[in-house]
Amino acid sequence: MIGILEAIQLVKENSKPLLIETTKPIEKSGSYKLYKDVFSPINMPPFRQSAMDGYALYLHDSLSYNLVGEIKAGDSHQPILKKGEAVRIFTGAPIPDTANAVMMQEKVLVKGSQITLESQININHNIRPIGEQVKKGELALKKETKLTPAAIGYLCSLGINNVSVFKKPNIAIVTTGNELVEAGEALDYGKIYESNSKMLQNALYNLKCYDVSIHKVEDDYDKTLSKLNEVINENDLVIISGGISVGDYDFVGKALEELKVEALFYKVKQKPGKPLFFGEKNDSLVFALPGNPAAALTCFYIYVYIALQKMMDNPDVELPRIKAKSASKFIKNGDRPQFLKAIYNDGEVSVLEGQSSAMLQTFAISNAFVYMSEDLSNIEIGDTVEVVLLPV
Ligand code: AMP
Ligand code: MG
């Protein structure tokens, strides 16, 4: 059995960025990072564009101009203006070649085909020049830029519809347990509804990992062996729930050994989540989480989270930890360090009743863990405690 810090360190050391290229349609590239520099295929804007609804002018000394036509957004005709002439123009419309300023309509008096400006304007005013944002062939976005909605909008404006990005891990969740039935099915005596797969799947979706498959195996050694063999070969990360403890029907440990998954650690001195396994085979990482739902999710946030962030090459690999004032008392049993389900709000934190590793009822309303180290035996109201903020 190892300590929490040592276990976290082993996860950090053994999880690496994937550095694999994949292509995504632009609308599905959100939160991915660019694998390569992107160069602009066009000038943006592609033509001299009006930034206002108003009048495009071929400037001269007088404030009066002859109105000779109209251009709206999307038009492609190009009237040729002489000095002292103007066209009505609208935002986004192409500016005639000889026009050299646009006056906003609020500052123009119109009388028939004569317009008069309120005041003189500077050359190029309200004209977006060709390639103002980026020129054809120039660097549009650098390699490793994270594709935010704005970045996606920008690439779309350049006509780009597929992007080369760093692959995110594909992940298999495997649940074990003869007692588990699917929500929607009848709950016969002795059975419980399966909760861990969809819970973990959603925790992964929250981290913007969407390539997730769910698998179920009974408590049967051969079936466990063949399922784990299959998913370890096909995924970058395998998260197993249950069957890793010491019961007669816990077959995960034995199967992982048979499959020659190298154990980086098994069992962590902590509560909940003592029977936690982390290992590696070829380029795949394997976590076997305890089946108790609250323990499984706690281990996900403290350990699997780090592996995922490292695989996606994100800078903040651990959940944020802060200090807060305790608004509740707690007495710890035993000497294992503990992650306590809690509610944090504005510098204050309350530990919830119901800390059993089977209890999701309290987890469902918590947004933080209070971390109690080995040497801490109780918390009093007003004590400063360490808090792990959960991504809720
Ligand atoms: P295990 O780690 O397999 O010994 O399971 C520990 C406890 O967690 C048992 O009470 C199981 O019934 C429960 N459990 C295991 N897997 C799940 C799951 N996927 N959904 C809900 N409860 C589970
Ligand atoms: Mg089990």
Side-chain angles (χ1 to χ4, degrees), residues 84-357:
E85 287 184 340
V87 286
R88 180 83 170 109
I89 201 151
F90 299 94
T91 306
I95 308 254
D97 274 350
T98 51
N100 49 11
V102 170
M103 186 58 130
M104 65 196 293
Q105 64 190 40
E106 291 85 344
K107 294 187 175 169
V108 175
L109 194 75
V110 187
K111 257 197 197 149
S113 63
Q114 276 286 307
I115 65 166
T116 308
L117 313 185
E118 257 180 23
S119 57
Q120 285 293 5
I121 61 167
N122 291 331
I123 194 156
N124 291 331
H125 197 63
N126 290 329
I127 294 179
R128 299 177 190 148
I130 294 178
E132 181 184 35
Q133 293 189 50
V134 62
K135 292 194 176 54
K136 184 173 176 173
E138 269 181 8
L139 182 65
L141 284 179
K142 277 205 299 226
K143 171 183 173 161
E144 285 167 14
T145 301
K146 193 166 187 170
L147 292 170
T148 59
I152 288 173
Y154 173 52
L155 294 182
C156 285
S157 79
L158 305 180
I160 291 170
N161 53 12
N162 286 301
V163 274
S164 159
V165 292
F166 285 95
K167 185 191 162 202
K168 291 192 187 186
N170 60 334
I171 304 160
I173 298 171
V174 183
T175 64
T176 66
N178 291 350
E179 71 280 28
L180 305 174
V181 298
E182 286 287 296
E185 288 174 13
L187 195 64
D188 292 340
Y189 184 73
K191 307 287 187 193
I192 58 166
Y193 284 122
E194 197 280 308
S195 53
N196 292 354
S197 63
K198 290 189 176 115
M199 173 175 79
L200 295 169
Q201 182 185 36
N202 265 275
L204 291 165
Y205 287 173
N206 267 352
L207 302 184
K208 302 191 191 303
C209 295
Y210 298 108
D211 194 351
V212 181
S213 58
I214 292 179
H215 311 258
K216 317 212 157 186
V217 284
E218 292 160 30
D219 293 320
D220 173 282
Y221 176 66
D222 292 333
K223 287 180 181 162
T224 305
L225 189 67
S226 89
K227 178 51 80 181
L228 292 185
N229 188 33
E230 171 201 320
V231 295
I232 292 168
N233 284 333
E234 287 172 4
N235 290 276
D236 303 306
L237 176 66
V238 173
I239 306 173
I240 305 158
S241 135
I244 188 64
S245 205
V246 292
D248 292 351
Y249 297 92
D250 290 330
F251 296 118
V252 170
K254 200 172 144 208
L256 292 173
E257 205 178 305
E258 174 69 30
L259 293 171
K260 304 213 162 34
V261 174
E262 183 198 345
L264 296 161
F265 62 76
Y266 174 48
K267 291 197 177 157
V268 180
K269 188 172 185 190
Q270 62 180 358
K271 200 174 167 185
K274 187 169 82 170
L276 170 66
F277 172 96
F278 175 53
E280 164 178 60
K281 184 177 179 185
N282 303 329
D283 285 332
S284 305
L285 296 180
V286 179
F287 284 93
L289 313 182
N292 268 316
L297 191 57
T298 303
C299 289
F300 178 90
Y301 283 136
I302 302 299
Y303 303 98
V304 185
Y305 182 93
I306 295 175
L308 285 163
Q309 300 296 1
K310 294 275 289 191
M311 289 170 120
M312 294 190 283
D313 207 12
N314 287 335
D316 298 320
V317 299
E318 283 189 69
L319 286 172
R321 290 186 186 227
I322 57 166
K323 300 273 184 220
K325 283 248 171 306
S326 179
S328 57
K329 293 182 172 196
F330 188 81
I331 298 171
K332 180 155 74 86
N333 286 326
D335 67 344
R336 273 187 282 159
Q338 212 169 339
F339 294 100
L340 300 166
K341 288 157 270 189
I343 297 177
Y344 171 80
N345 181 36
D346 198 17
E348 243 190 32
V349 68
S350 304
V351 173
L352 295 165
E353 297 284 329
Q355 291 293 337
S356 144
S357 60

